Amino acid sequence: MEIMFYHPTFDTAWWLNALAKAIPGANIREWKPGDNEPADYALVWHPPVEMLEGRKLKAVFALGAGVDSILSKLKAHPEMLDASIPLFRLEDTTQYAVVEMGMSHLGEIARLVRAARPSAGIITMIGVSHLENLGTRENILKAKMEICQGLPDGAPLVLNADDDLLPTAQIPGRLRPVWFGIRSSSADVRAINIHTVGEGTGFTLVDNVDGETYEFSVTIPTAGVHTVYDALAAYTAATRLGLERARAARALASYQTTGMRQNIVQHGGVTFIEDCYNASPDSMKAALQILHDRQPGPGGRRIAVLGDMLELGAASEPGHRQTGKWAADAADLLVAYGPLSAAMAEAARQKGLQTIHCQAAEEVVEYLRQNVRPGDVVLAKASHAMKLDDVLKQLYAALPNA
């Protein structure tokens, strides 16, 4: 096996050494700009791989959920520009793998899919993350459509029919587009009759295949319409790769969150909605809707702890301001964290929301330690680099009965 590694800012020598230790016997060398790039990356063994664009790994409720010995939640590190590292973790018993395709520039997903050679692809939406580097949502669409370059002929490409830009995409005729959605009546896979079921969400999944219609009652253990979209995407990809429809629909109920992705936990009588993995205006709006719909305990309040959203470019200030307005409609108190969130705090105050703006993580921890009380519901969300997960860990340690 030959492995080539390149990154313009990483310590290449360190990574070459680490790869040599991790993969004994492999021919590992540095790739340099100007070298001929191979047309393909050879893998010793290649199970069915489904590629998920963007940073919504939680969106995949496990491709082929319910299949014995599944390896999902493999995340390609976008900063490494290569999906090879998680793929090396695959074993002969692996039946399915879900690999996330992160990107911040044009050309990155094209490189990733050449490494992984996926069997199917999902594009969940065209948002505003990475506008700082890509400039327009149209360029984001172009970057995400690079996923097509690594898909084999006839492969399913799972797309959100409710997104305003995805239906305009030029899809290669050799691929098989499959559309999912809630609002679009023409989607192949739809959710109707969406309703709250305890801590989760119930809906009827309608699947139209070759003129036949199949309906399944589905319950997922997560709140918010955005997680219904995620479930539809996972079901669609799994069934178009051959998983039996009823089995896939049943398996959605067994989804479990990973990391701090919309986890709901209790500490010191306070309910925390941990959603610290990443943030954009779209995901902030969805998370704030969950906070709004959550009923506090007696004497409790809805508290939004929201940090900076990064890589938004020219959309940064209006995005933060709009988030402040959404917070004013959803919360009783906003704790805004980070320099970019000053605009968020200002917009929230203008709408009459009690607001605290903190520049440092220590300020957030101390304020919350002194002010949260039993019955409160606290949403914590920011871009991953803001390290709100560390803030929560420090807070939990300081709360009574933690």
Side-chain angles (χ1 to χ4, degrees):
M1 176 189 295
E2 181 176 58
I3 300 169
M4 293 188 293
F5 178 83
Y6 165 74
H7 193 279
T9 59
F10 273 30
D11 184 341
T12 301
W14 186 93
W15 277 102
L16 291 175
N17 183 57
L19 288 169
K21 291 180 179 178
I23 314 160
N27 177 21
I28 301 171
R29 66 183 180 88
E30 179 181 3
W31 181 85
K32 298 179 180 179
D35 289 355
N36 291 328
E37 185 169 339
D40 203 355
Y41 289 77
L43 298 177
V44 172
W45 181 77
H46 184 62
V49 175
E50 178 250 339
M51 307 302 273
L52 168 69
E53 56 74 26
R55 294 183 177 176
K56 289 185 65 181
L57 192 59
K58 67 179 182 180
V60 176
F61 281 64
L63 175 65
V67 174
D68 294 335
S69 186
I70 181 173
L71 182 60
S72 65
K73 305 182 182 73
L74 281 177
K75 184 166 75 73
H77 301 284
E79 68 274 12
M80 294 178 63
L81 305 184
D82 198 277
S84 300
I85 303 304
L87 290 174
F88 288 136
R89 301 175 191 167
L90 302 183
E91 300 175 355
D92 289 345
T93 55
T94 304
Q95 293 180 333
Y96 289 87
V98 180
V99 180
E100 180 184 9
M101 298 285 95
M103 65 84 192
S104 58
H105 294 83
L106 289 167
E108 292 180 351
I109 287 180
R111 182 186 298 274
L112 289 166
V113 293
R114 285 202 299 275
R117 295 185 296 166
S119 304
I122 294 175
I123 302 180
T124 55
M125 66 178 297
I126 307 300
V128 296
S129 296
H130 313 305
L131 278 177
E132 183 175 39
N133 296 319
L134 290 167
T136 66
R137 291 179 65 233
E138 286 73 18
N139 278 341
I140 294 174
L141 171 65
K142 182 179 179 181
K144 291 188 175 186
M145 288 299 294
E146 290 173 4
I147 202 169
C148 299
Q149 298 178 29
L151 294 172
D153 290 351
L157 178 61
V158 178
L159 302 164
N160 185 347
D162 291 344
D163 186 89
D164 63 325
L165 285 184
L166 278 172
T168 70
Q170 298 299 309
I171 302 170
R174 62 183 186 82
L175 300 181
R176 178 162 53 106
V178 190
W179 298 89
F180 67 92
I182 296 174
R183 299 189 305 272
S184 174
S185 60
S186 62
D188 301 292
V189 177
R190 298 180 61 211
I192 60 175
N193 304 324
I194 300 170
H195 56 282
T196 299
V197 180
E199 297 278 349
T201 306
F203 60 93
T204 300
L205 188 152
V206 182
D207 189 356
N208 297 295
V209 184
D210 298 329
E212 298 288 336
T213 300
Y214 304 87
E215 293 191 5
F216 305 99
S217 178
V218 173
T219 300
I220 55 177
T222 51
V225 172
H226 61 295
T227 63
V228 175
Y229 280 105
D230 299 341
L232 292 177
Y235 168 91
T236 305
T239 54
R240 271 54 181 185
L241 285 175
L243 189 68
E244 195 270 323
R245 284 181 288 271
R247 188 180 181 187
R250 287 194 306 270
L252 294 174
S254 64
Y255 167 66
Q256 295 180 347
T257 59
T258 60
M260 287 194 175
R261 297 171 174 90
Q262 205 183 311
N263 284 342
I264 298 178
V265 298
Q266 302 280 336
H267 288 277
V270 180
T271 300
F272 289 89
I273 304 170
E274 303 174 335
D275 202 354
C276 306
Y277 181 67
N278 221 332
S280 68
D282 293 323
S283 64
M284 283 286 200
K285 182 180 182 180
L288 284 165
Q289 185 62 51
I290 292 173
L291 177 65
H292 174 271
D293 294 343
R294 185 88 185 191
Q295 185 64 39
R301 303 154 297 170
R302 296 178 179 90
I303 302 175
V305 181
L306 307 180
D308 289 356
M309 298 175 285
L310 307 179
E311 298 186 29
L312 296 182
S316 180
E317 182 171 348
H320 282 85
R321 287 191 178 280
Q322 182 59 62
T323 300
K325 296 176 182 178
W326 288 328
D329 294 332
D332 302 305
L333 169 65
L334 169 65
V335 179
Y337 162 45
L340 299 179
S341 292
M344 181 196 304
E346 181 181 20
R349 286 195 191 100
Q350 288 174 350
K351 289 202 68 175
L353 179 64
Q354 180 184 355
T355 301
I356 304 297
H357 182 229
C358 302
Q359 290 286 0
E362 294 78 12
E363 296 176 59
V364 180
V365 174
E366 186 59 23
Y367 179 83
L368 292 175
R369 185 187 68 79
Q370 293 185 22
N371 288 277
V372 294
R373 58 183 184 239
D376 284 345
V377 179
V378 179
L379 166 68
K381 187 167 182 63
S383 283
H384 190 65
M386 299 304 292
K387 298 184 177 179
L388 264 188
D389 51 342
D390 289 341
V391 169
L392 289 182
K393 290 173 185 176
Q394 294 177 51
L395 176 62
Y396 295 162
L399 290 175
N401 303 317

